Amino acid sequence: MNLDLHPAPPASALRKLALGTWRAPRDPTAYASLDVRMEAALEFMATHRTRTGRRLTVTHLVAKAAADALRRYPEANVVLRGQRPWLREDVGVCVLVVQPASGASRVDLTTATVHRADQKSLEALADAMESRVSRVRAREDVEIERGKRRSSLLPGWLMGPALRLLSFVWYGLNVDLRRVGMPFDPFGSVAVTNLGSLGLERGFVAMVPYTRVPLLLAPGLVRDVPVVEDGALVPGKAMTLTCTWDSRLIDVDLAARVLRHIGGALEDPRGWDAPGDEAR
């Protein structure tokens, strides 16, 4: 078995309508954004580095907040199989990784996923993520590199059908393909891509149908903004966090609750500072 799953509760009338209206993951994409005050998060990251000597990034904070949000709202931790949503047991956080050019290899974009992310402290999640990202960036992840080599052999016209077939086997049939050299659940429950690292203030990320990931988060560049405090205009720091979701599986109210939870965690990150604290 590839994933540990159990049936979701019966769909509401609205959810049945959504499932009947849209047929392909590219159709039901919905977007939202939230402006987040970042002074507390920046201070938290700086204090953590001074105290421990270990670096935290905005990506780490967003990934941790997202994992906690999916634990708090498990109905958002969902995957579509056929025309029916199934709830995931595992909370996997996937981050997009840029692989620099190396030898004959060109610049590439791939993923690094940490499973059971909701069960890890912020520091443990950051360590696990950095370990995965380092291996992927250095092209040392055997399964990912093998999959890329295989895909490079396919002609362009066959890539779409091959990805759809792979997605169907992974998720539709729920088959664990590690025995044939494919990674286990490589895309997780939620994907995070830091657009701020590219110098972008905001962006709305496209869904990738074959991954079956219904929730994508894109933190933007932390920027200087004017804010009003105690009736006075003062300089502040803010970040736009954008969210893309599959509205067949996640309605706007649930997406808003997840996004507000993440924003609230970033604006008040003190609950992550306790050693061994596994939940916010």
Side-chain angles (χ1 to χ4, degrees):
M1 181 176 290
N2 185 35
L3 307 178
D4 293 325
L5 301 168
H6 62 273
S12 66
L14 179 62
R15 184 66 44 237
K16 288 181 179 178
L17 181 62
L19 288 167
T21 301
W22 291 295
R23 297 182 59 83
R26 65 179 179 272
D27 294 333
T29 304
Y31 304 96
S33 66
L34 181 70
D35 285 334
V36 181
R37 293 282 300 272
M38 291 295 289
E39 294 90 349
L42 294 174
E43 181 181 357
F44 175 82
M45 289 188 289
T47 300
H48 184 274
R49 187 163 191 172
T50 299
R51 180 171 54 84
T52 67
R54 305 171 83 168
R55 175 175 173 265
L56 290 176
T57 68
V58 170
T59 300
H60 296 146
L61 298 190
V62 172
K64 173 58 175 170
D68 290 350
L70 292 186
R71 184 185 60 246
R72 182 171 183 177
Y73 302 111
E75 62 270 32
N77 189 23
V78 65
V79 64
L80 185 65
R81 302 179 66 210
Q83 286 296 303
R84 182 176 181 179
W86 288 70
L87 298 178
R88 287 175 171 268
E89 299 286 346
D90 172 67
V91 175
V93 177
C94 170
V95 295
L96 272 65
V97 180
V98 175
Q99 292 179 311
S102 176
S105 301
R106 301 178 180 178
V107 174
D108 207 349
L109 185 67
T110 187
T111 60
T113 302
V114 176
H115 293 283
R116 298 182 179 84
D118 61 317
Q119 300 176 22
K120 300 181 186 298
S121 67
L122 173 60
E123 197 164 277
L125 176 59
D127 287 347
M129 189 171 293
E130 286 306 300
S131 175
R132 289 282 298 134
V133 167
S134 295
R135 288 182 59 218
V136 169
R137 186 169 286 140
R139 304 177 189 270
E140 294 174 351
D141 188 292
V142 175
E143 291 178 335
I144 287 179
E145 294 306 309
R146 182 190 296 121
K148 287 165 59 179
R149 286 194 299 271
R150 288 173 175 172
S151 66
S152 68
L153 299 176
L154 291 175
W157 63 269
L158 193 56
M159 184 63 71
L163 289 174
R164 288 190 289 273
L165 176 61
L166 183 60
S167 179
F168 173 71
V169 175
W170 254 330
Y171 303 109
L173 300 180
N174 199 18
V175 174
D176 186 348
L177 295 177
R178 284 178 288 186
R179 288 176 294 180
V180 294
M182 300 300 292
F184 167 75
D185 190 19
F187 310 110
S189 312
V190 56
V192 179
T193 177
N194 191 335
L195 298 180
S197 65
L198 302 176
L200 300 176
E201 291 188 359
R202 63 180 58 82
F204 295 91
V205 182
M207 300 194 74
V208 184
Y210 71 89
T211 68
R212 306 285 179 102
V213 177
L215 188 64
L216 310 177
L217 298 168
L221 184 70
V222 178
R223 62 193 188 276
D224 295 318
V225 295
V227 297
V228 177
E229 291 184 355
D230 299 325
L233 195 63
V234 298
K237 298 284 188 180
M239 179 189 76
T240 299
L241 177 65
T242 60
C243 177
T244 305
W245 72 92
D246 186 337
S247 58
R248 297 174 303 171
L249 299 174
I250 299 174
D251 59 36
V252 65
D253 175 69
L254 179 57
R257 280 182 280 152
V258 169
L259 199 55
R260 288 198 303 268
H261 178 93
I262 297 170
L266 293 172
E267 291 186 343
D268 183 15
R270 292 172 297 177
W272 287 328
D273 209 21
D277 182 17
E278 299 298 309
R280 210 188 123 68

